[in-house]
Amino acid sequence: MTKNNRIVVAFHIGRGGQFHNPGHKTYKGEINFTQLCNSQNNYLFEVNRDSNGRFCRPYLIDAGGSTAVTPDDYGKEVGSIDYDGEYDTWICCYIEECDDSELMMIYQAEETWTDAYDFAKNKLSEDGMINDAHEVDELINSIANFGGDPYLVETDEQAHELLESINATASLRKIVRGDEDFETYMKRLDLTDENRPAAIYSGVDGSEFCFIYANDYKIR
């Protein structure tokens, strides 16, 4: 979720991993803190008066009466919900504050239609955490069109050719449902609503080309 051009992402800390230990962190998507609190409204309750009945800065408590969201976080874009420390805590933060391990969680979630995925992928590429070989794998089963008929990217050679064009373009345009030319690009790639296309990308490498990642559409 973005606001003022800043991307907000959410993580949950709880039990998980091979031994179901506490302190296991998982990525939960582009969600700002207000939205996260709203999604937890069955478990959180607002308090706006102190023990003497006087109005105070609002905060949220859990069902046990413990403070889960402090007044400093309540109503903000980022913050944390602390139900039970390392056993159950939610965190919303700006993506530029994430370390490489958190960015890798975002990248590996493969929500390729999100701004968070694009940010994580670019930052991890700059840091040498992912490489072209991984990106080539991502392009297998993509659909591309370089001005003729659309084709399925089935071989490493085809994936490398598409990757070279992606790297050669100054910037990729992300086209999503609701954009006025989304239907036009769907037709160029021979997609229908049955494919449930999420995002189509367009770039220029000598001439315009477009493609859709394999994870961004369903096979009919």
Side-chain angles (χ1 to χ4, degrees):
M1 173 61 61
T2 61
K3 183 177 180 182
N4 299 325
N5 297 320
R6 301 188 74 181
I7 302 169
V8 181
V9 291
F11 295 92
H12 180 253
I13 299 172
R15 287 190 176 275
Q18 182 178 359
F19 301 105
H20 202 57
N21 290 327
H24 182 76
K25 182 180 287 186
T26 53
Y27 173 61
K28 294 298 182 179
E30 280 189 33
I31 310 169
N32 70 37
F33 193 56
T34 297
Q35 292 173 318
L36 177 61
C37 289
N38 289 338
S39 74
Q40 301 281 307
N41 60 12
N42 288 335
Y43 312 103
L44 297 172
F45 309 91
E46 182 182 287
V47 176
N48 58 14
R49 291 179 183 268
D50 62 22
S51 58
N52 296 316
R54 294 173 298 193
F55 283 106
C56 64
R57 293 174 62 196
Y59 59 98
L60 299 177
I61 61 173
D62 60 22
S66 299
T67 299
V69 177
T70 67
D72 289 337
D73 285 352
Y74 183 53
K76 301 295 179 61
E77 190 175 40
V78 296
S80 64
I81 303 174
D82 184 355
Y83 289 117
D84 192 15
E86 64 179 350
Y87 292 93
D88 192 2
T89 294
W90 294 79
I91 298 170
C92 285
C93 64
Y94 294 112
I95 196 170
E96 60 262 31
E97 299 169 352
C98 293
D99 60 26
D100 280 343
S101 65
E102 292 166 333
L103 291 174
M104 188 62 75
M105 292 180 205
I106 297 169
Y107 175 71
Q108 291 177 339
E110 296 187 337
E111 295 178 350
T112 55
W113 59 92
T114 64
D115 294 326
Y117 175 88
D118 290 340
F119 182 100
K121 179 179 177 181
N122 291 336
K123 185 66 169 60
L124 290 170
S125 295
E126 292 172 3
D127 293 347
M129 300 292 290
I130 58 177
N131 55 41
D132 284 354
H134 195 167
E135 293 184 2
V136 165
D137 289 342
E138 289 180 340
L139 292 172
I140 296 294
N141 292 324
S142 299
I143 300 174
N145 189 325
F146 280 78
D149 294 327
Y151 65 94
L152 183 67
V153 178
E154 297 180 283
T155 66
D156 284 348
E157 181 179 358
Q158 290 174 321
H160 274 289
E161 290 174 353
L162 177 55
L163 181 60
E164 287 176 1
S165 293
I166 293 171
N167 290 336
T169 189
S171 63
L172 284 176
R173 180 187 169 206
K174 185 177 181 180
I175 307 151
V176 297
R177 192 175 298 277
D179 292 343
E180 62 180 20
D181 51 358
F182 184 72
E183 296 293 332
T184 299
Y185 281 94
M186 280 181 58
K187 291 178 181 177
R188 290 183 186 178
L189 296 176
D190 196 24
L191 298 169
T192 70
D193 285 336
E194 293 179 0
N195 298 119
R196 297 171 59 188
I200 298 170
Y201 293 83
S202 172
V204 177
D205 178 21
S207 59
E208 186 191 25
F209 66 96
C210 60
F211 69 98
I212 186 168
Y213 283 106
N215 290 326
D216 281 352
Y217 76 95
K218 302 292 183 182
I219 298 175
R220 288 176 289 183

